[in-house]
Amino acid sequence: MALTAIGLCGRALIKVGATAIASFDDGSAEAEVASALYGPARDGLLSANAWSFATVQASLPRLAVEPVADYANAFQLPADFLRALGAGGNGRGRGVGYRIVGRTLHCDSDRVTLTYVGRPAEEDFPAFFDQALIARLAAEFCIPLTESSSRAELLASLAEAEFRRARQIDAQQDNQPGFEDFTLIDARS
């Protein structure tokens, strides 16, 4: 079952021992804490790994304004951009040198395809990521709601274990890239 932001926060609140919320603006202390901490916790967890379900490729629009130094062209980053994984040209998602500057990508290429971690809809999160996010949210919500640092430490260690488990599961969804250029193999020919 796909969870919404409210559903994810509700499950995290239950783990803390608090009452689940119906919306971010229902007036309760739980809703206030969830509203303030949910977005940064979600984006932080998404940015912490190159998740297969959040990896996106996009051709970037070139901006008219050129960078001041180092690179010839500037491109607008996508609205859902969280973290760059690589940039390329000519139908490839990597191989071009670049630098992220604010909300733009600078490089010397005339066209760029960016491979990046984006922000998918909560309903598209796989179950293993839901569990890692719920655990992270419970750890984040704990001190503001319970003022228990010992419980917060326990929840933080559980969140770290869930994160490692989710990374392991996600890593099994992709084959490992082989060597594309290895001069020792070429020398044998």
Side-chain angles (χ1 to χ4, degrees):
M1 177 174 92
L3 295 173
T4 63
I6 296 299
L8 291 162
C9 288
R11 291 196 178 173
L13 288 164
I14 290 168
K15 280 187 172 251
V16 173
T19 304
I21 57 173
S23 74
F24 284 126
D25 53 358
D26 72 8
S28 65
E30 290 87 351
E32 186 177 327
V33 168
S35 176
L37 299 178
Y38 174 73
R42 175 204 56 213
D43 290 354
L45 194 59
L46 283 167
S47 299
N49 190 52
W51 303 104
S52 60
F53 68 91
T55 299
V56 182
Q57 289 186 316
S59 294
L60 302 183
R62 188 171 164 187
L63 300 172
V65 178
E66 293 181 1
V68 174
D70 299 330
Y71 291 102
N73 298 306
F75 296 84
Q76 182 64 52
L77 292 173
D80 67 340
F81 173 84
L82 293 174
R83 175 181 158 212
L85 299 175
N90 299 325
R92 296 184 54 87
R94 58 194 159 106
V96 168
Y98 67 93
R99 178 180 302 139
I100 302 295
V101 179
R103 295 292 304 162
T104 63
L105 179 141
H106 294 181
C107 71
D108 288 328
S109 181
D110 290 333
R111 289 187 287 153
V112 172
T113 299
L114 178 67
T115 303
Y116 67 99
V117 174
R119 185 182 302 113
E122 283 81 357
E123 294 81 12
D124 295 333
F125 293 167
F128 63 84
F129 186 80
D130 281 348
Q131 293 307 307
L133 182 54
I134 289 166
R136 176 72 58 202
L137 290 170
E140 294 286 330
F141 296 170
C142 187
I143 289 194
L145 293 174
T146 68
E147 297 181 5
S148 172
S149 59
S150 60
R151 181 187 275 175
E153 287 176 20
L154 173 64
L155 289 170
S157 67
L158 292 173
E160 188 58 35
E162 280 293 334
F163 174 69
R164 284 191 306 271
R165 182 179 151 282
R167 280 183 32 189
Q168 183 179 26
I169 292 169
D170 189 66
Q172 295 171 359
Q173 299 190 103
D174 189 13
N175 64 338
Q176 296 301 314
F179 291 108
E180 291 181 13
D181 181 31
F182 192 57
T183 55
L184 293 177
I185 293 174
D186 293 338
R188 289 189 344 202
S189 300

